[in-house]
Amino acid sequence: MKIAVIGAGYVGLVTAACFSEFGYEVICIDNNKYKIKQLKKKIIPIYEPGLSDLVKKNAKSKYLLFSNSISKIKDANIIFIAVGTPSTRRGDGEADLKFVFSVVKDISKFLIKRKKQLVITKSTVPVGTGKKIQDMMCELRPDLINNKDYFIASNPEFLREGSAIEDFMRPDRVVCGVTDKQAEEILKELYRPLNLREAPVLFADLESAEIIKYASNAFLALKVSFINEIANLCEKTGGNVQMIAKGMGLDNRIGPKFLHPGPGFGGSCFPKDTRALYASFKKNKINNTLVKSVINFNEDRKISIVNKIKNLLKPKIKNKVIAFLGVTFKPNTDDLRESPSLEIIPRLRKLGAKIHAHDPAFNPEFIKVKELDKIKWHSNVLEAIKNADLLVIHTEWNEYRGLDLLKVKKALKNPIILDLRNIFNLDDMKRYNIKYHGIGFKS
Ligand code: NAD
Ligand code: UGA
């Protein structure tokens, strides 16, 4: 089976690498010349555990090739579209489909009559996009017959950054939206290597597959916001949110996952996908309050974190040094897209605070991010903490969990920690005489 994956980003590159690992011949195509040049030299543009080894191994054995040329799809039986679908710049929250549609246009030029190629959307796209792609294809290639010369399918991706390979190889489920039995057979064959792992492969219509992706992300985002709201209550009334999450999570109907409180959800998907789902409700003139409240709550969350910090540095925050540990939206990634830190840090700087930061995934690109302007970066955690008036833990990197608290206390000017991920506990901190504040309990 020959596969072409268009887009060499977090999803495209992982998809291409994992399918090549299954023994398929894969070509990963991107229009970013620099990225492909680097990939051909086996240099991976992103920080994703395990990805580099997988790419190197399969590129060496020639199962995985890279190219800038979309014409290479001619050789493929299966073509994945895995380009970005960010929010539009209009501010209406809708997903911007210009990259997807531009790829569809490009692909259409090279599809081959009677080859029965399967074009699969892996990008997260709003309901109705698969149908639009079908219509576009009919217009662009009237000589080809849909469901005869080629097929359209939807196969949304559920991997998480930081554990992308494991998620791809051992998914909770694979969702496929199809309009034809033959397309279903091709997809069954494609995912056959997952049979051993008993991963359920669910077949649905195009629209259901598209909505399953958004509904899943929005539901998880809602869980995160819900526990953050409960955390707010605990901070006023007493009670410990972690104990509460444990107590709730023991109910199988609720489950323990995605009940960790924090500075609000970030990343390249939850924020944009909740906005896009809300936009779909609006577009279809359906009143929606639930998804909208999740979006609003999450926006406010970051402001409330700034207020928390301001409060801890009373009477004035101006010229105070804040050691900020972790800027990425979660550990094991260098992805900064919509990280809460990008809202929190500029607000703190505007109030006059000085930020000394550390992140294990730091790379020189971070310096170019305007929200992280004028930060003093440190490659050593203790250096970042030195003489700080407050230590904020923003991302729960493993490197921070084992910090030597005695050294931390000695390094800080004021021994105060605000732990936005609750990686430490109050009793340990008491022993070290460190004033410890977390999320969802009274200090
Ligand atoms: P990304 O921005 O990391 O990568 C997109 C890639 O597509 C870039 O390398 C870009 O150069 C390339 N590209 C854009 N236009 C192109 C074109 N016309 N021809 C060839 N290449 C082109 O994006 P991502 O994070 O991998 O996300 C891709 C899609 O997958 C999005 O819809 C996203 O919502 C979804 N998704 C992402 C994740 C994740 O963890 N990042 C998880 C599940 C689903
Ligand atoms: C998320 C989903 O988990 C994936 O299934 C999905 O494929 C992906 O979005 C996508 O569509 O792109 P990801 O964004 O990589 O994956 O990261 P998550 O682990 O889901 O975390 C998202 C955000 O929620 C992070 O900011 C994280 O810190 C926050 N979060 C998560 C919490 O604050 N508490 C939790 O309990 C869980």
Side-chain angles (χ1 to χ4, degrees):
M1 206 174 287
K2 286 192 173 182
I3 300 172
V5 179
I6 302 167
Y10 285 87
V11 167
L13 193 53
V14 170
T15 302
C18 290
F19 277 132
S20 68
E21 177 71 8
F22 290 155
Y24 299 135
E25 285 175 52
V26 184
I27 184 151
C28 187
I29 302 166
D30 202 290
N31 61 359
N32 182 323
K33 290 215 159 81
Y34 178 72
K35 213 178 232 189
I36 292 297
K37 201 172 153 195
Q38 296 291 89
L39 282 165
K40 280 183 174 169
K41 287 193 241 163
K42 303 184 186 67
I43 300 170
I44 313 300
I46 51 173
Y47 180 109
E48 183 59 49
L51 185 58
S52 179
D53 288 347
L54 213 58
V55 168
K56 279 183 189 148
K57 179 180 159 211
N58 290 293
K60 195 172 167 209
S61 54
K62 303 266 187 290
Y63 280 113
L64 179 59
L65 301 175
F66 296 100
S67 174
N68 282 124
S69 170
I70 206 124
S71 66
K72 293 271 164 53
I73 65 132
K74 277 194 269 192
D75 302 328
N77 315 96
I78 295 178
I79 301 149
F80 278 104
I81 302 174
V83 295
T85 49
S87 296
T88 63
R89 283 165 187 261
R90 293 191 298 271
D92 54 10
E94 280 190 30
D96 191 344
L97 297 174
K98 67 171 181 263
F99 302 113
V100 171
F101 290 150
S102 143
V103 169
V104 172
K105 240 174 151 179
D106 292 341
I107 291 176
S108 72
K109 290 180 207 147
F110 300 104
L111 288 182
I112 295 169
K113 205 165 171 65
R114 284 188 285 277
K115 188 160 170 147
K116 295 181 183 291
Q117 286 161 297
L118 175 59
V119 178
I120 306 176
T121 311
K122 202 165 237 329
S123 300
T124 303
V125 293
V127 57
T129 307
K131 180 75 184 47
K132 270 191 200 149
I133 294 176
Q134 256 174 18
D135 294 346
M136 267 179 87
M137 272 317 192
C138 289
E139 224 172 85
L140 293 161
R141 288 294 303 267
D143 59 316
L144 300 184
I145 301 167
N146 181 26
N147 285 344
K148 187 161 174 249
D149 289 315
Y150 68 93
F151 309 99
I152 299 290
S154 158
N155 174 217
E157 182 49 58
F158 298 95
L159 62 79
R160 290 161 301 169
E161 287 178 25
S163 52
I165 292 171
E166 181 65 16
D167 286 351
F168 193 95
M169 295 289 198
R170 292 174 209 281
D172 285 350
R173 81 308 207 179
V174 173
V175 172
C176 302
V178 287
T179 60
D180 185 275
K181 202 70 196 156
Q182 278 188 68
E184 185 172 327
E185 292 308 318
I186 301 172
L187 277 154
K188 270 188 192 151
E189 182 59 19
L190 173 71
Y191 281 108
R192 195 170 42 82
L194 294 184
N195 285 356
L196 260 181
R197 289 157 192 175
E198 295 183 1
V201 181
L202 178 77
F203 284 93
D205 53 279
L206 284 182
E207 289 77 11
S208 298
E210 289 167 344
I211 298 178
I212 288 170
K213 174 64 198 174
Y214 280 101
S216 303
N217 269 4
F219 192 76
L220 293 171
L222 181 141
K223 258 185 122 176
V224 172
S225 295
F226 185 84
I227 203 67
N228 281 338
E229 196 155 46
I230 296 295
N232 287 348
L233 180 67
C234 293
E235 285 169 23
K236 285 269 188 256
T237 60
N240 185 317
V241 74
Q242 278 167 293
M243 190 51 76
I244 292 156
K246 200 170 180 182
M248 287 170 66
L250 284 169
D251 184 328
N252 285 331
R253 294 168 303 173
I254 299 173
K257 293 181 181 165
F258 281 74
L259 286 179
H260 301 286
F265 58 78
S268 65
C269 290
F270 279 7
K272 82 164 171 69
D273 290 349
T274 43
R275 288 194 294 264
L277 181 60
Y278 177 64
S280 286
F281 279 104
K282 251 178 100 179
K283 210 170 175 179
N284 289 287
K285 300 195 171 45
I286 299 163
N287 190 25
N288 169 285
T289 49
L290 209 46
V291 179
K292 184 65 181 155
S293 346
V294 170
I295 296 167
N296 290 346
F297 179 85
N298 199 56
E299 286 303 312
D300 293 347
R301 180 91 191 139
K302 291 164 260 182
I303 298 165
S304 73
I305 298 291
V306 173
N307 289 335
K308 214 182 234 293
I309 293 173
K310 222 168 113 184
N311 213 21
L312 290 174
L313 289 171
K314 268 196 311 212
K316 78 175 170 66
I317 184 169
K318 198 163 184 239
N319 289 327
K320 294 274 171 67
V321 175
I322 299 172
F324 207 93
L325 298 194
V327 290
T328 55
F329 77 100
K330 63 183 279 191
N332 296 326
T333 180
D334 59 355
D335 198 344
L336 289 171
R337 289 179 283 184
E338 302 214 32
S339 175
S341 66
L342 301 189
E343 280 286 325
I344 297 169
I345 289 178
R347 285 175 191 275
L348 293 175
R349 287 211 45 251
K350 215 168 164 193
L351 292 167
K354 295 182 172 148
I355 310 293
H356 289 201
H358 173 272
D359 194 290
F362 172 82
N363 70 53
E365 292 298 310
F366 285 18
I367 298 168
K368 298 183 198 156
V369 178
K370 80 170 184 323
E371 289 88 346
L372 302 181
D373 189 29
K374 300 214 171 75
I375 281 183
K376 191 155 190 242
W377 288 101
H378 295 268
S379 55
N380 177 286
V381 189
L382 286 174
E383 281 299 315
I385 293 172
K386 207 168 167 185
N387 289 327
D389 295 282
L390 171 70
L391 166 56
V392 174
I393 296 162
H394 171 271
T395 318
E396 67 278 33
W397 283 94
N398 273 344
E399 186 175 343
Y400 304 147
R401 293 178 191 272
L403 277 175
D404 181 330
L405 294 176
L406 195 61
K407 285 187 182 159
V408 169
K409 192 191 162 188
K410 278 187 184 156
L412 283 167
K413 187 162 154 199
N414 289 319
I416 314 177
I417 294 180
L418 173 60
D419 179 357
L420 298 175
R421 303 289 183 167
N422 292 347
I423 63 174
F424 294 112
N425 74 58
L426 197 52
D427 291 338
D428 284 344
M429 292 292 174
K430 274 186 185 152
R431 275 195 282 121
Y432 288 95
N433 260 325
I434 296 174
K435 284 188 197 139
Y436 180 67
H437 303 266
I439 300 285
F441 57 87
K442 278 184 163 181
S443 300

